[in-house]
Amino acid sequence: MKTGRILKSAFKGLGKNKLRTFFMMIGIVIGITAVTIVISAGLGAQNKIMERVKKFGLESLMIFAGGGREMGQPTSGGPITTLKIEDAEALKREIGNIAGVAPFNRKGDGVVKHQEKSITTRIFGVTPAWAPVWDWYAAQGEFITDEDEARMARVCVIGPTVQQELFGGANPIGEQIRIGNVIFEIKGIMQPRGISPGGGDMDNRVYTPLSTFMRRVANVDYIFGIKVLLKDARKIDETVVTIKSILRERHKLAAGEPDDFRITTPTEVTQFAEKVVGTFNIFLVLVAGISLIAGGFVIANIMLISVSERRGEIGLRKALGARNRDIRFQFLLETLVVTITGGIIGILLGFIGSTILGAVTQLPVSISWEGVMLGILFSSLVGFIAGLQPAKRAAALQPIEALRS
Amino acid sequence: MRAIVKVKDVSKVYKKDSGVPIYALRNVSVAIGDGEFVAIMGPSGSGKSTLMNVLGCLDRPSEGEVLIDGQKVNLLDDEALARVRNQKIGFVFQSFNLLPRTSAIENVELPLIYSERDKISGLAKAALENVGLGDRLNHQPGELSGGQQQRVAIARALVNDPEIILADEPTGNLDSRASYEILALFQQLNRQGRTVVIVTHEPDIAEYATRIIKIADGAIESDAANLNVRRAEDVLKKIANTVEVKS
Ligand SMILES: Nc1ncnc2c1ncn2[C@@H]1O[C@H](COP(=O)(O)OP(=O)(O)OP(=O)(O)O)[C@@H](O)[C@H]1O
Ligand SMILES: [Mg+2]
């Protein structure tokens, strides 16, 4: 009851000194606006990266030919030729936790032509298992089939970017394109997938049957990598160990010799992405934090001035029966009301700002409840810390001293 | 007669930087009885305000005892003193001390905010009606005359139904007509049974009290019943007549 009355009284006091209230609020509004925009931008970036990571798949891992190096690029001399289609088949056969294997080979920048038009693209040789393992299917027409694979058919499935570049809007199914000297018939168009975790355009691709690719495009008997889909993602570590031992045995590697393949798990990809986002966020939060601290100082100062201006009021309230803690409560409350109101205004402005920022810069922004909670938490915290000292000072005033002024 | 406030051998000493102590009060003993209307008189700097503040538990004496309603308050902590002020004392100040930009009724509600009781609605309105301002509830101090502002302050002092009203130079900032209005109000409250103490340095004002205490240099010089109490209402009537004659 009494608390409610003091609360009401504090609110009224603020309404009576609008200019002071406004100046106190402005610092916190700016700080919280900054925090909100920072969090929205940071979360947007994080979501974008995690979205890309998810495209890779969290229940899968990747085996690349070549040991100990990033993403299986050849070290020196010739390419690593030890990873074979049979390795993929053996893993599928021997490991219970494997739901599917998608062996593939690829060619970095292949030029694909249709009549006068051409595009530089990535050419993949894949088996039909590619589609379920990546959870990525043909949007129109048909994906590579077992029959295509067995017949070494000269057919291909193209990504939306390739379709756009070579055919504009027209339906390309049944049309022919030329890869090197070989003519392929287009039998399907892939679902769009956007940007890969590495930043490449996953829609700028041409898929051919792996057998056709190995014989007619690259003329090799080895593969570039195998994507492995797991049944139970929690057993990933065990499965990696088993894959290693099977491959080492098949490749006849003696103990002490390094692996001639490399396994990438989603954990690694996720960790890398989080590290990048984290560094970015720390920097931005620091900037926002500094502006909040500055806002806090402004508020503390204005409150201190307010306390000395209102000595008479404080003395009067004490003469009328206010206890020290009632005065302390009133002044702390005034600061908190200002900062929390400022915080809420800041959050709203931050959301508007983030939306505009997102629209202007094309950067991803994401508005979240975490941002709202954090904004309110920060503003109450700043209010509490900034209000503590002035409130203490007000409470410590002696009633006669305060009344004298 | 029951003593509402009683001080025994009270002294108040201020230590100056020079080291020479200043005695604002020296060994003052006085008892204010229930239903009295006391005027405390004396020249500037004689210790009137200091005595009032001690009587009202706003200030602690350096030495001596203070009893409110028979309860010894010397040893009470700040919090308990605040409760005594809230429940038993009603202060009125020379410069009214109303909160600016705050309506009369909200000003009068101020002591109620800090009271422990839960039912407070209607009390502030009744107090304002009691001082004749039932039609000015939502006026702000800036919209009221000095006399009206002081009456708001008196309503504020009355709202918690205190044992005693302590008024330090309540007419000091008022013209003579408003001063008599305030004195008439105090006399009316006193007739209703309210104990009132006012501080003044004008002998004319003291004439309206039932007992006059004179202090000088921190000590009581004389303390006697006023045998010839004047009625403020009579003076007001006379003023009204003069104005009528003039016009
Ligand atoms: N805080 C203080 N520090 C030092 N001396 C003080 C203090 N307060 C009061 N005094 C001194 O105590 C004496 C009594 O002061 P007090 O205010 O009680 O006088 P007063 O009778 O109310 O005077 P006035 O009629 O001017 O209001 C004065 O000499 C004053 O200077
Ligand atoms: Mg005085």
Side-chain angles (χ1 to χ4, degrees):
Chain A
M1 274 285 30
K2 189 174 171 182
T3 311
R5 295 195 290 257
I6 296 176
L7 201 107
K8 209 171 130 194
S9 176
F11 266 104
K12 278 184 184 156
L14 285 173
K16 274 165 192 143
N17 213 323
K18 295 198 175 66
L19 195 67
R20 187 179 68 210
T21 309
F22 171 77
F23 278 118
M24 275 167 73
M25 211 176 270
I26 195 133
I28 216 78
V29 168
I30 293 169
I32 296 293
T33 305
V35 170
T36 311
I37 292 178
V38 161
I39 290 173
S40 302
L43 261 162
Q46 192 168 345
N47 284 351
K48 191 91 186 175
I49 291 176
M50 292 323 282
E51 198 180 286
R52 288 184 192 174
V53 169
K54 286 209 187 85
K55 279 180 197 161
F56 172 77
L58 292 172
E59 288 139 355
S60 56
L61 51 83
M62 194 71 102
I63 303 165
F64 291 107
R69 283 156 290 103
E70 286 294 317
M71 297 304 174
Q73 300 299 329
T75 30
S76 55
I80 305 295
T81 60
T82 45
L83 196 63
K84 301 283 164 62
I85 294 184
E86 292 75 25
D87 289 330
E89 284 160 4
L91 293 176
K92 171 91 193 290
R93 205 167 48 234
E94 287 176 37
I95 301 176
N97 191 28
I98 289 180
V101 289
F104 68 98
N105 208 334
R106 55 156 217 197
K107 191 164 180 238
D109 26 46
V111 177
V112 175
K113 286 188 177 143
H114 173 73
Q115 292 165 359
E116 300 306 300
K117 289 184 180 162
S118 74
I119 180 173
T120 304
T121 183
R122 282 192 164 179
I123 299 153
F124 279 72
V126 299
T127 61
W130 177 273
V133 165
W134 279 92
D135 189 27
W136 191 3
Y137 300 89
Q140 284 173 51
E142 190 186 37
F143 196 66
I144 311 289
T145 61
D146 284 324
E147 206 197 327
D148 297 332
E149 185 65 23
R151 283 197 303 114
M152 224 182 275
R154 289 172 212 178
V155 292
C156 68
V157 180
I158 62 174
T161 306
V162 180
Q163 177 199 5
Q164 192 57 39
E165 289 293 315
L166 296 186
F167 300 96
N171 180 10
I173 292 174
E175 298 286 334
Q176 292 186 328
I177 54 171
R178 184 203 287 270
I179 303 172
N181 289 322
V182 190
I183 305 283
F184 285 80
E185 186 187 319
I186 298 170
K187 61 180 300 197
I189 302 163
M190 289 303 277
Q191 294 166 334
R193 228 177 209 198
I195 310 299
S196 77
D201 179 1
M202 292 175 88
D203 297 331
N204 185 11
R205 288 181 178 182
V206 172
Y207 297 92
T208 63
L210 182 55
S211 56
T212 320
F213 181 92
M214 287 167 73
R215 174 66 70 76
R216 308 233 179 252
V217 179
N219 195 23
V220 292
D221 68 343
Y222 53 84
I223 56 175
F224 181 79
I226 307 164
K227 174 149 167 146
V228 178
L229 184 67
L230 302 179
K231 286 177 183 156
D232 184 353
R234 285 165 301 185
K235 292 189 191 149
I236 191 162
D237 292 340
E238 293 168 48
T239 310
V240 167
V241 172
T242 319
I243 290 171
K244 273 191 180 167
S245 74
I246 290 172
L247 288 182
R248 287 185 68 87
E249 197 187 304
R250 290 181 61 85
H251 295 181
K252 302 192 171 59
L253 295 171
E257 252 183 287
D259 292 341
D260 59 355
F261 55 89
R262 185 174 181 277
I263 300 174
T264 308
T265 61
T267 339
E268 282 171 53
V269 180
T270 317
Q271 277 168 356
F272 176 70
E274 278 171 355
K275 215 167 97 187
V276 172
V277 172
T279 319
F280 178 69
N281 278 358
I282 286 170
F283 170 71
L284 291 178
V285 164
L286 219 69
V287 172
I290 288 168
S291 70
L292 267 182
I293 291 170
F297 270 107
V298 170
I299 288 170
N301 261 307
I302 295 178
M303 276 315 280
L304 281 175
I305 294 168
S306 165
V307 166
S308 64
E309 269 176 2
R310 289 157 74 192
R311 289 165 63 90
E313 177 193 330
I314 296 162
L316 174 75
R317 286 179 186 270
K318 287 193 155 189
L320 300 181
R323 298 168 300 178
N324 292 352
R325 57 171 135 144
D326 295 330
I327 299 292
R328 201 181 311 127
F329 182 53
Q330 178 193 336
F331 277 83
L332 202 53
L333 214 65
E334 281 190 18
T335 325
L336 274 177
V337 168
V338 168
T339 53
I340 293 174
T341 313
I344 291 169
I345 295 173
I347 289 167
L348 292 177
L349 288 181
F351 281 174
I352 295 169
S354 316
T355 314
I356 294 171
L357 186 80
V360 171
T361 61
Q362 300 291 309
L363 283 172
V365 292
S366 171
I367 286 163
S368 73
W369 282 110
E370 289 98 315
V372 175
M373 297 317 286
L374 227 67
I376 291 176
L377 187 82
F378 273 152
S379 52
S380 350
L381 208 70
V382 169
F384 189 78
I385 295 170
L388 214 54
Q389 190 54 31
K392 264 190 185 166
R393 198 174 282 190
L397 283 176
Q398 286 302 310
I400 29 165
E401 295 294 327
L403 272 174
R404 212 188 297 278
S405 46
Chain B
M1 189 171 22
R2 179 173 74 107
I4 301 274
V5 185
K6 198 168 168 181
V7 295
K8 260 196 268 180
D9 296 325
V10 159
S11 295
K12 181 75 185 179
V13 190
Y14 291 108
K15 294 267 192 310
K16 271 280 145 81
D17 295 338
S18 58
V20 189
I22 293 182
Y23 275 82
L25 294 175
R26 310 168 194 261
N27 291 314
V28 173
S29 296
V30 69
I32 312 287
D34 193 8
E36 282 195 292
F37 185 171
V38 180
I40 297 175
M41 285 195 64
S44 187
S46 56
K48 305 182 296 291
S49 296
T50 308
L51 180 58
M52 277 296 241
N53 293 338
V54 169
L55 292 175
C57 300
L58 267 181
D59 202 357
R60 292 170 187 275
S62 313
E63 275 166 60
E65 268 183 16
V66 181
L67 290 101
I68 309 280
D69 221 2
Q71 183 194 15
K72 204 170 152 186
V73 298
N74 296 58
L75 301 174
L76 296 181
D77 60 9
D78 283 356
E79 189 167 333
L81 277 186
R83 186 163 311 128
V84 170
R85 289 196 295 267
N86 185 249
Q87 300 301 306
K88 307 207 163 163
I89 317 279
F91 287 102
V92 176
F93 306 96
Q94 177 172 351
S95 46
F96 325 135
N97 292 31
L98 299 177
L99 294 186
R101 279 162 289 162
T102 304
S103 68
I105 190 143
E106 281 173 351
N107 265 296
V108 175
E109 275 168 354
L110 220 47
L112 295 171
I113 291 179
Y114 302 109
S115 121
E116 298 296 331
R117 59 175 131 173
D118 281 345
K119 287 202 166 177
I120 61 163
S121 66
L123 292 175
K125 188 165 176 266
L128 277 166
E129 279 163 359
N130 198 12
V131 299
L133 286 177
D135 55 344
R136 295 285 192 279
L137 301 183
N138 294 311
H139 284 57
Q140 297 186 355
E143 300 160 354
L144 296 170
S145 73
Q148 286 172 327
Q149 289 185 53
Q150 192 63 301
R151 278 195 274 159
V152 173
I154 293 169
R156 182 179 64 194
L158 288 169
V159 76
N160 257 337
D161 192 23
E163 300 276 353
I164 188 168
I165 301 279
L166 299 178
D168 193 347
E169 312 242 17
T171 60
N173 283 8
L174 300 177
D175 61 29
S176 60
R177 191 201 157 100
S179 298
Y180 291 120
E181 279 171 2
I182 294 301
L183 284 172
L185 179 57
F186 279 132
Q187 285 189 322
Q188 180 203 322
L189 291 170
N190 182 242
R191 278 198 300 276
Q192 289 167 4
R194 195 72 64 183
T195 310
V196 180
V197 178
I198 61 169
V199 159
T200 181
H201 52 248
E202 292 173 62
D204 175 49
I205 300 288
E207 307 257 301
Y208 298 84
T210 57
R211 175 181 167 196
I212 301 173
I213 299 171
K214 288 186 179 158
I215 65 173
D217 210 10
I220 293 185
E221 203 180 49
S222 70
D223 180 353
N226 180 10
L227 299 175
N228 191 12
V229 180
R230 297 180 62 186
R231 282 176 60 92
E233 267 116 0
D234 298 341
V235 184
L236 283 171
K237 266 181 211 144
K238 215 180 281 170
I239 294 174
N241 290 339
T242 340
V243 173
E244 268 167 41
V245 168
K246 265 186 191 163
S247 54

